[in-house]
Amino acid sequence: FFQDTEISVMNLLGVGRYNLMEPIGRALKLDVSKNSTYWKSMVAIELTKAVYHSFKLARVSMIDHFTMAENFSSFMKEEVRTRGGCPADWIWVVPPMSSGLVPTFHHEMLRYTLSPSYEYQSLPVQFFKKPRKRVSFRALVITIMYFLQMMKKCSKERKRVTMVYATEGGTALNYAMIAESLFVKAFNVSILPITEITDKDGLRMCIDTSDVVIIVASCFGHGGAPSMAEGFHQNILNKAYCFDGMTFAVFGLGSSQYIETFANFGKLIDSEIGMSGGKRLAKIGFGDDQADQRLAFENWIQPLYDKCCNEYLPSDIQIDLKGTVREGVTFNKVYRWRYINKRSLNECFQEMIGPSAKLFEFTIKDKINLSTDGASEKYFLLVLLYTPESNKEAELFLPGHHLGIFPKNLSSVKDKVVKRLYDVPFRGIPLILEEKIAVHKSWRQWNSHYSGLTLDEFLSNVTDLNRMPACIETFLETSI
């Protein structure tokens, strides 16, 4: 027989499996913008009921998780009475939904192995392989070179799409990369920061070498331009640009808390390009950080991609190259390590927080435990010591101000992760992580903020290893 939540919650909703939580939530027209609407619980319940009903309708044996837990609880009591114990894994016995409402939740379980028993063994194909026909190295190289020449020729014939982003905290860049993963199926795509087109020569080069320019612009403060786009903003206000020949589309990010200045920078870019000779490919889109911003962007970029395919691609290949935003996001990227010059941690931290924020070094003077003895989570009060260099710096720390702290992970947790990594580079050498988003695209830097750090520094100071999914924690705990 089958068990309902194993199929619904574990297989269909699991992040490492079909990962259908958000698509089903949207199909049910639930508010998926925040967890406090309990939309995830509603999706799990409705999907479990649907799985149970469909299996029963098809006359396939199915049992609900409540009955299963009661049956196992009775079986475990009988095993303990008869044999003195019952090996069980709590993670797999307790259902992933309504866990606290079933009797097995309160049982203490011990996992151990009895023999004789059934165990996994290696695939027979590893020991009984058919002999393969040998191919000469020369023939292999000729074949590879032939296909590379074909791909290079096809790549040159593709239309060019340039994604330009103006961001303060990285949101606009993330959306530009989502759009890139969709457009790369059918176009030559490049991503540029808005600083690259601030001067007139850079802007003209971008226009001349791009068939379509997509701009994702965020706001800072009350509808103003982010710090990286201040020069571009000033030039637009001064009417210093000519956008003749630019086919463009703009997506503006903002917050409805500032309704009077909502996405003002994006609106300004869209109107100025349109009035200065640019051809608008799509109506401006808006993303509100008080609602489902990601959904708004997906609903805007998908029709834009379809329109570009219809206008720039031959009709006989449009069906093969059309896709969805979600298909683009799940494209199998390839990554590699490369050695680079060393950078200090403070340089990387400064890039992460942006030029408008200031980085300080503190000394921990005292650490006070605020948790009771035996508490599962520990809370501490840190007493920080800092000596300001001037009176101006002393005024930066006033009551009510917020501080962001860069903590370190425990060495024991970091070492567990390193042991599970494949093809680990030397841990003391500065590295850069590069990615390849498509076969015809060249290698590029994954994230400039993290370049020049060693693997130990990255795992200790940048990655949050304390919020890993339970399945990964279990994987790290198992012996190699």
Side-chain angles (χ1 to χ4, degrees):
F1 59 86
F2 293 91
Q3 200 250 332
D4 55 0
T5 54
E6 178 68 21
I7 295 172
S8 61
V9 180
M10 297 294 290
N11 291 336
L12 298 178
L13 301 182
V15 176
R17 299 185 185 178
Y18 282 93
N19 195 19
L20 296 175
M21 176 70 78
E22 194 169 326
I24 293 177
R26 289 174 175 169
L28 294 175
K29 298 182 178 179
L30 303 176
D31 181 6
V32 300
S33 61
K34 48 192 174 184
N35 292 328
S36 58
T37 59
Y38 299 99
W39 66 273
K40 293 183 179 180
S41 298
M42 296 167 69
V43 168
I45 292 172
E46 293 301 324
L47 184 59
T48 303
K49 288 164 63 179
V51 167
Y52 187 88
H53 173 74
S54 61
F55 271 67
K56 286 295 184 182
L57 207 61
R59 299 179 181 274
V60 179
S61 297
M62 168 66 71
I63 187 172
D64 65 274
H65 53 291
F66 292 104
T67 304
M68 185 70 180
E70 292 170 0
N71 292 346
F72 184 84
S73 182
S74 301
F75 166 76
M76 188 174 184
K77 290 178 182 178
E78 185 63 24
E79 285 291 294
V80 171
R81 187 183 65 82
T82 305
R83 307 176 190 275
C86 178
D89 190 347
W90 192 93
I91 295 176
W92 289 104
V93 170
V94 177
M97 188 175 77
S98 309
S99 304
L101 302 178
V102 297
T104 52
F105 180 83
H106 306 283
H107 283 312
E108 291 187 3
M109 301 178 189
L110 184 63
R111 179 181 176 183
Y112 54 92
T113 304
L114 299 174
S115 60
S117 63
Y118 291 101
E119 304 291 344
Y120 287 105
Q121 61 181 356
S122 302
L123 295 174
V125 71
Q126 296 179 358
F127 305 99
F128 303 98
K129 293 183 179 179
K130 292 183 179 180
R132 295 182 178 180
K133 184 179 179 180
R134 301 181 71 87
V135 179
S136 67
F137 180 73
R138 182 172 180 274
L140 182 62
V141 171
I142 292 175
T143 305
I144 292 174
M145 293 300 295
Y146 173 73
F147 281 106
L148 285 176
Q149 291 296 329
M150 289 180 58
M151 289 184 60
K152 188 178 291 186
K153 181 181 177 181
C154 294
S155 178
K156 286 182 178 179
E157 294 175 353
R158 286 185 167 196
K159 299 294 184 179
R160 294 190 61 84
V161 175
T162 301
M163 308 286 177
V164 179
Y165 66 90
T167 186
E168 188 70 33
T171 304
L173 173 58
N174 290 337
Y175 288 147
M177 295 179 71
I178 291 173
E180 178 199 33
S181 64
L182 176 64
F183 276 78
V184 76
K185 300 174 183 178
F187 301 90
N188 269 336
V189 187
S190 58
I191 296 183
L192 295 177
I194 202 166
T195 51
E196 293 289 326
I197 62 170
T198 299
D199 61 281
K200 295 180 182 179
D201 293 337
L203 176 62
R204 178 45 54 187
M205 182 181 297
C206 175
I207 295 174
D208 293 342
T209 58
S210 305
D211 296 286
V212 178
V213 178
I214 299 174
I215 302 174
V216 184
S218 62
C219 290
F220 185 68
H222 295 278
S227 54
M228 68 181 300
E230 288 177 354
F232 186 83
H233 184 214
Q234 194 61 44
N235 287 341
I236 278 190
L237 294 177
N238 295 335
K239 309 290 183 180
Y241 293 136
C242 175
F243 296 98
D244 287 341
M246 175 186 277
T247 303
F248 73 98
V250 179
F251 188 83
L253 301 173
S255 174
S256 57
Q257 286 186 333
Y258 310 99
I259 191 64
E260 295 179 356
T261 58
F262 175 69
N264 261 10
F265 185 52
K267 294 176 183 176
L268 176 66
I269 294 175
D270 182 73
S271 62
E272 287 297 325
I273 297 178
M275 291 188 296
S276 303
K279 175 188 174 184
R280 186 177 287 103
L281 191 62
K283 187 179 178 181
I284 183 174
F286 297 106
D288 181 9
D289 65 3
Q290 300 300 308
D292 195 341
Q293 200 173 63
R294 171 70 176 268
L295 178 61
F297 180 74
E298 291 179 0
N299 291 339
W300 178 80
I301 197 68
Q302 185 67 57
L304 178 60
Y305 174 72
D306 294 339
K307 186 174 182 179
C308 290
C309 288
N310 292 331
E311 290 195 12
Y312 294 104
L313 299 183
S315 57
D316 56 337
I317 65 171
Q318 287 179 11
I319 297 176
D320 295 331
L321 292 177
K322 283 191 176 181
T324 63
V325 181
R326 297 202 166 273
E327 289 173 358
V329 172
T330 57
F331 186 85
N332 290 327
K333 298 180 181 179
V334 182
Y335 298 90
R336 73 177 183 185
W337 295 106
R338 190 166 61 81
Y339 300 138
I340 196 173
N341 294 331
K342 182 75 174 74
R343 287 203 309 166
S344 68
L345 271 171
N346 284 351
E347 288 182 74
C348 298
F349 289 153
Q350 188 66 62
E351 280 194 15
M352 292 180 203
I353 62 179
S356 59
K358 188 169 178 58
L359 191 69
F360 299 92
E361 289 190 7
F362 292 87
T363 301
I364 297 180
K365 186 177 180 181
D366 198 4
K367 181 178 176 182
I368 305 172
N369 187 3
L370 303 179
S371 306
T372 57
D373 294 337
S376 58
E377 294 187 0
K378 299 291 184 181
Y379 296 92
F380 296 93
L381 174 65
L382 298 180
V383 181
L384 304 177
L385 179 63
Y386 174 71
T387 305
E389 297 179 359
S390 63
N391 293 332
K392 188 175 181 181
E393 281 194 2
E395 295 175 359
L396 293 174
F397 306 103
L398 298 175
H401 284 187
H402 293 267
L403 292 178
I405 298 178
F406 291 96
K408 290 183 67 174
N409 293 308
L410 295 175
S411 298
S412 57
V413 180
K414 178 188 68 177
D415 292 337
K416 288 179 183 178
V417 174
V418 172
K419 287 180 182 178
R420 286 293 185 177
L421 293 178
Y422 173 73
D423 195 17
V424 182
F426 294 109
R427 295 171 64 175
I429 295 180
L431 301 165
I432 181 175
L433 184 61
E434 295 183 330
E435 66 176 357
K436 197 172 188 179
I437 64 169
V439 178
H440 65 278
K441 299 290 287 184
S442 58
W443 290 95
R444 72 175 185 192
Q445 192 171 337
W446 173 65
N447 193 317
S448 60
H449 297 338
Y450 310 136
S451 64
L453 298 179
T454 65
L455 183 64
D456 277 346
E457 288 174 334
F458 182 78
L459 293 177
S460 298
N461 301 278
V462 178
T463 311
D464 187 0
L465 300 180
N466 296 307
R467 298 180 182 272
M468 292 185 290
C471 57
I472 296 183
E473 289 185 359
T474 305
F475 173 72
L476 294 177
E477 292 293 338
T478 56
S479 58
I480 302 178

